[in-house]
Amino acid sequence: MTYCLAMLLNEGVVCLSDTRTNAGLDNISKFRKSFTWEVPGERAIVLMTAGNLAITQAVMGLLQENIENPQPGIETLFSATSMYRVAEIVGDAMRVVQGRDGPALAQMGESSTASIIVAGQRAGGRPRLFHIYAAGNFVEATADSPYFQIGEHKYGKPIIDRVITVETPLKTAVTAALLSMDSTLRSNLSVGMPLDLTVIRTDEFRISEARRIENDDPSFDALSKGWSAALRRSFDEMDALWN
């Protein structure tokens, strides 16, 4: 399981993912689920993955292989003319991998379900955010629905629902993302540290911030403890309102 969250704001894009994968209670590992590509001043792209690890790793590998060994007629993340085209390229890669590996996994009784969040901005366009499904099709975030979650999202969703709009300042969105993740970490053991935080500011056309948050990160620990204390204080206030 995993938890990945991406938010599309007027000020930019915020992406956060955990790193835990497991295949049973006694087989827990850490794998990066957030991947970035950039041409500073021209484009910045973030992909986050959830689902069958072999499928998502194969998709990431295929995308990188096409960049490193470009073939005539094959567009890459670096040659795509828009973020919409980037989403199509990722969807096409998903179809290739699913078509190759999906039937064999099904025969073994294994699921090939996977999903990918695509976020970023290319020069000449606005920041955009997409959710790619296992079939390679996708949907795009809008002002009405400015965020996507994949993986174990239910524990962290209420915070985002109450706080995030496209007008939310970038710094506030980062805080909301971290608190959403903290709520998920506390309620589900299949989501775990460390975390990968990525920020792209509008019209910077680069990865503005890329931070690995470890178990002993003092800022995250203070945020977690502060949120718990704030909730306890708020609960006491709400308790007094009920007659």
Side-chain angles (χ1 to χ4, degrees):
M1 189 55 74
T2 188
Y3 178 39
C4 298
L5 167 66
M7 296 174 284
L8 180 67
L9 316 163
N10 291 337
E11 293 185 6
V13 177
V14 174
C15 298
L16 182 66
S17 67
D18 81 316
T19 55
R20 176 166 291 182
T21 63
N22 64 339
L25 295 177
D26 59 350
N27 185 14
I28 297 175
S29 302
K30 291 187 294 184
F31 285 91
R32 178 176 287 274
K33 302 165 190 174
S34 181
F35 305 86
T36 62
W37 290 264
E38 65 176 344
V39 179
E42 199 274 332
R43 72 183 65 206
I45 300 168
V46 183
L47 270 60
M48 296 190 296
T49 64
N52 186 293
L53 184 62
I55 293 291
T56 57
Q57 283 192 342
V59 172
M60 295 302 108
L62 178 57
L63 293 170
Q64 186 62 33
E65 175 70 17
N66 288 338
I67 291 173
E68 295 175 358
N69 299 286
Q71 302 296 319
I74 296 180
E75 284 187 278
T76 73
L77 300 183
F78 283 174
S79 66
T81 56
S82 67
M83 283 304 303
Y84 184 86
R85 186 65 191 124
V86 167
E88 288 186 322
I89 290 169
V90 176
D92 289 344
M94 177 73 86
R95 290 190 188 96
V96 169
V97 173
Q98 289 284 1
R100 183 189 67 197
D101 298 340
L105 287 169
Q107 287 182 355
M108 298 294 294
E110 299 289 341
S111 172
S112 65
T113 298
S115 56
I116 299 173
I117 287 176
V118 177
Q121 185 180 14
R122 183 189 178 281
R126 56 186 170 81
R128 300 178 78 172
L129 176 62
F130 302 89
H131 181 181
I132 316 292
Y133 298 100
N137 57 323
F138 56 84
V139 296
E140 182 173 7
T142 66
D144 292 326
S145 300
Y147 70 88
F148 288 131
Q149 298 169 288
I150 55 176
E152 185 53 81
H153 64 271
K154 59 181 176 289
Y155 301 105
K157 190 174 187 298
I159 296 171
I160 305 303
D161 282 342
R162 288 179 178 271
V163 173
I164 297 301
T165 70
V166 292
E167 288 85 17
T168 302
L170 207 60
K171 189 177 187 301
T172 302
V174 169
T175 300
L178 292 170
L179 292 178
S180 175
M181 182 65 75
D182 180 66
S183 297
T184 305
L185 291 168
R186 285 178 174 269
S187 298
N188 194 306
L189 293 177
S190 69
V191 177
M193 303 286 281
L195 312 176
D196 287 311
L197 172 67
T198 310
V199 177
I200 300 173
R201 294 184 180 276
T202 298
D203 295 339
E204 283 194 356
F205 308 111
R206 65 181 180 88
I207 303 300
S208 307
E209 180 180 357
R211 179 173 175 179
R212 169 60 65 94
I213 302 170
E214 301 285 354
N215 277 306
D216 57 353
D217 186 282
S219 296
F220 185 74
D221 184 59
L223 193 68
S224 177
K225 291 178 179 177
W227 179 239
S228 294
L231 284 175
R232 285 192 290 270
R233 290 194 301 270
S234 295
F235 186 86
D236 290 341
E237 294 175 6
M238 296 302 101
D239 191 42
L241 295 176
W242 181 253
N243 295 318

